[in-house]
Amino acid sequence: ALVETRISTVFSLMGGTCSAFVCYIMPSAIAYRLGERVSHNRTARGRCIVVSLGIFGLLVGVLSTSTTIASMLAGKPPAFDACKNTSHIFGGTSSEDEAFL
């Protein structure tokens, strides 16, 4: 946030890391840690599914964060910047808003 001036890039970085952690990695870690008390962990197939959910979440987090960092280093703006296209809120429209609509 100190280096990047576009708030949408900051939100992309935070969303890429936090959403994968909250949606995939934490539930699989909790289910794995609870062990036999969770019905999915009673079989080898269930444990494999729980672990694969955590690995999938790790891959999603790494890929989304690395994609955002690569576009930030390349200097490319995001495809749609919701923070930039807000002139319709204040009563006017810009050429970017008209192209989006």
Side-chain angles (χ1 to χ4, degrees):
L2 296 175
V3 177
E4 184 60 36
T5 59
R6 293 182 301 239
I7 191 73
S8 60
T9 305
V10 175
F11 286 154
S12 294
L13 283 171
M14 290 302 295
T17 54
C18 294
S19 65
F21 184 74
V22 169
C23 294
Y24 298 107
I25 298 171
M26 280 301 294
S28 67
I30 291 170
Y32 188 79
R33 179 78 172 117
L34 287 175
E36 295 293 322
R37 290 177 278 184
V38 176
S39 63
H40 294 300
N41 283 345
R42 292 189 184 132
T43 64
R45 181 176 179 261
R47 283 189 297 275
C48 182
I49 290 172
V50 168
V51 170
S52 64
L53 178 68
I55 292 171
F56 176 75
L58 183 66
L59 289 174
V60 166
V62 167
L63 287 175
S64 63
T65 303
S66 62
T67 302
T68 303
I69 290 173
S71 66
M72 186 175 72
L73 293 176
K76 293 188 292 187
F80 175 73
D81 190 354
C83 298
K84 192 175 190 181
N85 301 326
T86 57
S87 61
H88 62 280
I89 295 173
F90 301 110
T93 59
S94 68
S95 60
E96 290 179 359
D97 289 335
E98 291 169 359
F100 177 70
L101 296 175

